[in-house]
Amino acid sequence: AVTFSSTTPAVCTVGGTNGSVVTGVAAGVAAGSCVIAANQAGNANYTAAPQATQTIAVGAGAQSLTFGLAPTLLVGGTGTVTATGGASGNAVTFTSTTPAVCTVGGTNGSVVTGVTAGSCVIAANQTGNANYTAAVQATQTIAVGAGAQSLTFGLAPTLLVGGTGSVAATGGASGNVVTFTSTTSAVCTVGGTNGSLVTGVTAGSCVIAANQTGTANYTAAPQATQTIAVGAGAQSLTFGLAPTLLVGGTGSVAASGGASGNAVTFSSTTSAVCTVGGTNGSVVTGVAAGSCVIAANQTGNANYTAAPQATQTIAVGAGAQSLNFGSALTVMVGSSAALVASGGASGSALVFSSTTPGVCSVAADMVTGLSVGDCMVAANQAGNANYTAAAQVTQSIAVGKGAQSIRFAAVPVISLGDSGMLSAAGGASGEAVTFASTTPSVCSVQGSQVSSLGAGDCSVAADQAGNANYTAAAQVVQTITIAKASLTLQKGWNLLGNASNQPVAAEVAFADAALVSTVWKWDTAMLSWQFYTPTLSAAELQSYAQSKNYGVLKAINPGDGFWVNAKAAATLSAVSGAPYSLGAAQLRPGWNLVATADNATPAAFNLSLTDPLAPPPAAGVVPINLTTLWAWNNPLSKWYFYSPQLEGQSGTALFDYTASKGYLDFVVTGKTLGAGTGFWVNKP
C-alpha cells in the first residue's frame, strides 16, 4: 500500500489508515505549503517505489457562532445570553440591534436589560486570526415581557373614630398613581385625591388596600394592605344657656354631646342648693339660694370614650311663697277643728290667729267656736334666707250652735248584790249628766250609783239638758249585765262568803269529792268550827265531828264566811237570791267570819258599821268600829290586813305596818269586799 506522511507537520498533519487524510494545522507558517510524501514499499518482485511528494497550499479556516437558550427577560429586568464561537479562541461579543427594546452590558455585553416590551435582537460576533476567518454574525431574538411592580406602605397613621389620618405607599416604575381603598368600610373609609385620607368610623381594625395600575411595560402591582388600629374617639360637651332659677322653682338645662349618641345626663354637685330630676336629670329644682353647679356627663361606647365632665353654674334666687286655705270648716260653739292651709317652701311654721276673738279663738292650728257668728282666721308665714314672707290670707268660718254628746265610761262590773258607779262625760253646756234605770226590776239608780236588784240586763239611760249655746244631748243607754253570784275555787285554801240572802246547803254545793276536800265555818256563838267533807257519809261525818268537838256543817247562811280546801280550780253553781248586806247587828264581839254583797273597801265597811243615830265623825277621824279585818289571797298564800286605828294615824302607819309584817295592803292591791269574798272581822 501507498502510505502518506507530512513533511511539513507545522503546516499539516496526516491521519487515517494510510495517512491519506490531511489536516491543515496553520496557515501562513513558513512557505505556507503543506508537503505530503508518498511511499510504497517493495516486495519480492518489486523494489520500493521512489518517494514522491506533493505540495498543498494551506488556507485560513472558517468559524461559526451558536447561541444558547434565550433568557426570560422583563422590562427593567436582566438576563444573560451565551454563544459558542469558532476555534480562533477570540471572545464572543454581544450587541443589541434593538436598543429601544433592550440594552446589553457586562464584560462582553452578555447581560441584557429589558427596556420596553417587545422583540429584543442580540447580535453575536467573533473576530478571526491568522488561521481562522471572523465568524459570521449570529442573532438571537428575546421576547421582552412587561415588568413587575411592588408597593411598600409607609408608617401607619394614628387613627381615632371620627378622626382622620393619611396613608402613603411607594409604587413600581410604571409611574402610575398609587390609589387606596378601605376593605373594612364599617371600620374606616377613605377620601382625598387618591384615597389616602382615612377616616375612622368604628373602633376596630381598619384595613387599607393599595393598588397601582400597569402600563405597556409594567404589569399592575400586586395589591398591598396595611392594618390600622382605630381607637375610640373623643367626645366633648357644650352647655346651652343657663336657666333662670328660684328656690322652689324649676328650670331645664341642656347640653350637646359627642358622637356616641348616648344620652347626656345631669347631676347636681351642690345638692344643698339644687337638685335634678326628670328623665336625664335635666330638670333642676332650686333648694336654697346660692350657686347651683350642674355637672353634665356622657358615657362612651365601643367607638367613643366618655366625654370629660362639663359644669354649668346657675344662680339660684330667693323663691316666693303663697298661702292657700283649704275648704271652709264647719265649726260649732264649743267644738274645734283643725285649720288646713298650704304654705310656701320656706319651712317656716304657718301662724294662725283670730281677727274675731269674740266669735272664735285659735291655738296653734285649732280653731274653737266661742259664739255663733262669723269667725275670721288669718294665716301668716315668715320668710327666710331662701324665701320671702308670704302675703297674709284670711278665711271666714261660720260658727254654728254647738251639739252635745254623752259618752259613757267603761261598763261597771256588778254581780248580784253589788253596786257600782256610773260615769259619763257630757257636752260643754255645763249641765249635769243625769242617770235613770230603764229596767227597775233589775237595777236601781241613785245619782251616779247603780245597785243590782236581780240578775239580768240592767239598762241605764244618760241625759244632759241643753242651753242657749248647746242643744240637749241625745240620750244614750248603757247595758250592765248582772250575773248571779258564783263561788270560784282555786286549788288550796279559799276564804269565801255567801253574799246572798239565801242559805247554801253544804252537802249540795260541795258534794264533788274530786274538787272539794273540806269546808269549814266559824260558829261565833259556840266559838268552834263547823266541818264538812264530801268523802264521808253522814254517819261518818257525825262521828268524826264529835270526836274533834266540831259541829257538822249543814248550811252556809247569808253573811257567813267559810273556808274551802279545794283539790283543783273550779267554779261552782251560782248562788240564787237577793244581795245580802252585812251590818253591825250581825257582828258579835270577838272574831267573826263573815261576807257582804257590798263591794266596799275595808275603810268603807268600817264606816258603815257606825251607829246611824250617833253623830258623824269629825274630819280626819276614823271610827273604831272594828279592831282588825283580814282577807285571804290564795295564789300568794298571804293575808290582806286592815286596821282603822292605824288608818287614823297620820302618815303611812297602816302601809308601813302592813309591809313590815309581809301582809297585803287592801288599798295598794285594789282589793275590796263583796263578790263572794269571805273575811275575818275582830270586833271590839
Side-chain angles (χ1 to χ4, degrees):
V2 177
T3 60
F4 302 94
S5 62
S6 172
T7 62
T8 55
V11 177
C12 58
T13 60
V14 295
T17 305
N18 57 349
S20 61
V21 178
V22 180
T23 301
V25 175
V29 177
S33 296
C34 167
V35 180
I36 298 299
N39 291 284
Q40 185 178 36
N43 56 20
N45 295 314
Y46 292 91
T47 59
Q51 184 182 62
T53 61
Q54 185 178 51
T55 300
I56 303 169
V58 179
Q63 297 184 104
S64 64
L65 294 169
T66 302
F67 271 96
L69 291 174
T72 299
L73 188 61
L74 301 177
V75 174
T78 61
T80 301
V81 291
T82 60
T84 56
S88 67
N90 291 335
V92 178
T93 61
F94 302 95
T95 59
S96 170
T97 65
T98 55
V101 178
C102 57
T103 59
V104 296
T107 303
N108 60 344
S110 62
V111 179
V112 183
T113 300
V115 176
T116 60
S119 294
C120 164
V121 179
I122 299 298
N125 290 278
Q126 186 180 38
T127 60
N129 56 17
N131 294 317
Y132 291 92
T133 59
V136 177
Q137 184 183 69
T139 62
Q140 186 177 56
T141 300
I142 304 169
V144 179
Q149 297 185 101
S150 64
L151 294 167
T152 303
F153 269 98
L155 291 175
T158 299
L159 190 60
L160 301 178
V161 174
T164 59
S166 294
V167 290
T170 56
S174 69
N176 289 341
V177 174
V178 178
T179 60
F180 302 94
T181 58
S182 170
T183 66
T184 53
S185 58
V187 179
C188 58
T189 58
V190 296
T193 305
N194 61 339
S196 62
L197 184 64
V198 184
T199 300
V201 177
T202 60
S205 294
C206 163
V207 179
I208 299 298
N211 291 278
Q212 186 180 34
T213 59
T215 61
N217 294 320
Y218 290 93
T219 59
Q223 186 181 73
T225 60
Q226 184 176 62
T227 300
I228 305 168
V230 180
Q235 298 185 101
S236 63
L237 295 168
T238 303
F239 269 99
L241 291 175
T244 299
L245 190 61
L246 300 178
V247 174
T250 59
S252 294
V253 289
S256 57
S260 69
N262 292 337
V264 177
T265 59
F266 303 93
S267 61
S268 170
T269 65
T270 53
S271 57
V273 178
C274 59
T275 58
V276 296
T279 304
N280 61 342
S282 62
V283 178
V284 184
T285 300
V287 175
S291 293
C292 162
V293 179
I294 299 298
N297 290 278
Q298 185 181 35
T299 58
N301 56 18
N303 295 319
Y304 291 91
T305 58
Q309 186 181 77
T311 60
Q312 184 176 64
T313 300
I314 305 168
V316 180
Q321 297 187 101
S322 63
L323 294 172
N324 293 288
F325 269 105
S327 57
L329 304 174
T330 299
V331 179
M332 303 296 181
V333 173
S335 69
S336 299
L339 294 164
V340 178
S342 59
S346 68
S348 299
L350 271 64
V351 179
F352 300 100
S353 60
S354 171
T355 63
T356 54
V359 179
C360 58
S361 63
V362 173
D365 63 345
M366 299 298 293
V367 57
T368 301
L370 302 178
S371 63
V372 175
D374 289 331
C375 163
M376 190 66 69
V377 176
N380 290 276
Q381 185 181 34
N384 58 14
N386 294 320
Y387 292 91
T388 59
Q392 185 185 77
V393 294
T394 59
Q395 184 178 54
S396 179
I397 304 170
V399 179
K401 194 172 184 180
Q404 297 187 104
S405 63
I406 300 172
R407 296 176 300 281
F408 268 106
V411 179
V413 177
I414 305 174
S415 297
L416 186 62
D418 286 347
S419 61
M421 299 304 294
L422 298 165
S423 178
S429 68
E431 300 294 332
V433 177
T434 60
F435 303 100
S437 171
T438 63
T439 54
S441 63
V442 180
C443 59
S444 63
V445 174
Q446 289 185 339
S448 59
Q449 179 172 312
V450 57
S451 300
S452 64
L453 300 177
D457 287 336
C458 164
S459 294
V460 177
D463 292 278
Q464 185 183 30
N467 59 14
N469 290 321
Y470 293 91
T471 59
Q475 186 183 77
V476 294
V477 176
Q478 185 176 68
T479 299
I480 306 166
T481 300
I482 299 174
K484 292 182 179 180
S486 60
L487 297 176
T488 301
L489 299 178
Q490 294 176 310
K491 186 178 180 180
W493 287 104
N494 298 263
L495 184 51
L496 306 175
N498 180 11
S500 167
N501 66 352
Q502 298 295 320
V504 176
E507 61 184 6
V508 175
F510 308 110
D512 190 349
L515 296 177
V516 177
S517 175
T518 57
V519 184
W520 305 79
K521 186 182 79 168
W522 179 249
D523 189 336
T524 305
M526 300 299 294
L527 298 179
S528 63
W529 289 102
Q530 292 182 5
F531 169 78
Y532 172 77
T533 177
T535 60
L536 298 177
S537 65
E540 290 171 337
L541 180 59
Q542 182 67 41
S543 175
Y544 178 79
Q546 287 179 352
S547 70
K548 297 295 184 179
N549 291 322
Y550 299 153
V552 175
L553 177 58
K554 296 292 185 178
I556 300 172
N557 297 313
D560 283 347
F562 58 96
W563 286 95
V564 178
N565 190 357
K567 297 178 180 179
T571 300
L572 302 181
S573 300
V575 179
S576 61
Y580 177 82
S581 294
L582 184 68
Q586 285 77 44
L587 297 177
R588 295 190 179 190
W591 289 103
N592 298 263
L593 185 54
V594 293
T596 182
D598 297 328
N599 188 23
T601 64
F605 178 72
N606 174 58
L607 188 61
S608 71
L609 299 179
T610 303
D611 184 352
L613 300 179
V621 175
V622 178
I624 310 299
N625 294 319
L626 55 88
T627 304
T628 56
L629 185 148
W630 306 75
W632 179 250
N633 183 294
N634 171 281
L636 298 178
S637 294
K638 287 187 176 184
W639 287 102
Y640 293 97
F641 173 75
Y642 169 73
S643 167
Q645 182 179 5
L646 291 174
E647 182 188 19
Q649 295 180 13
S650 60
T652 59
L654 175 58
F655 173 81
D656 293 340
Y657 177 82
T658 301
S660 70
K661 297 297 184 179
Y663 300 149
L664 300 175
D665 187 279
F666 278 95
V667 176
V668 172
T669 61
K671 174 68 174 176
T672 59
L673 307 177
T677 299
F679 54 95
W680 287 98
V681 175
N682 190 356
K683 184 178 179 183

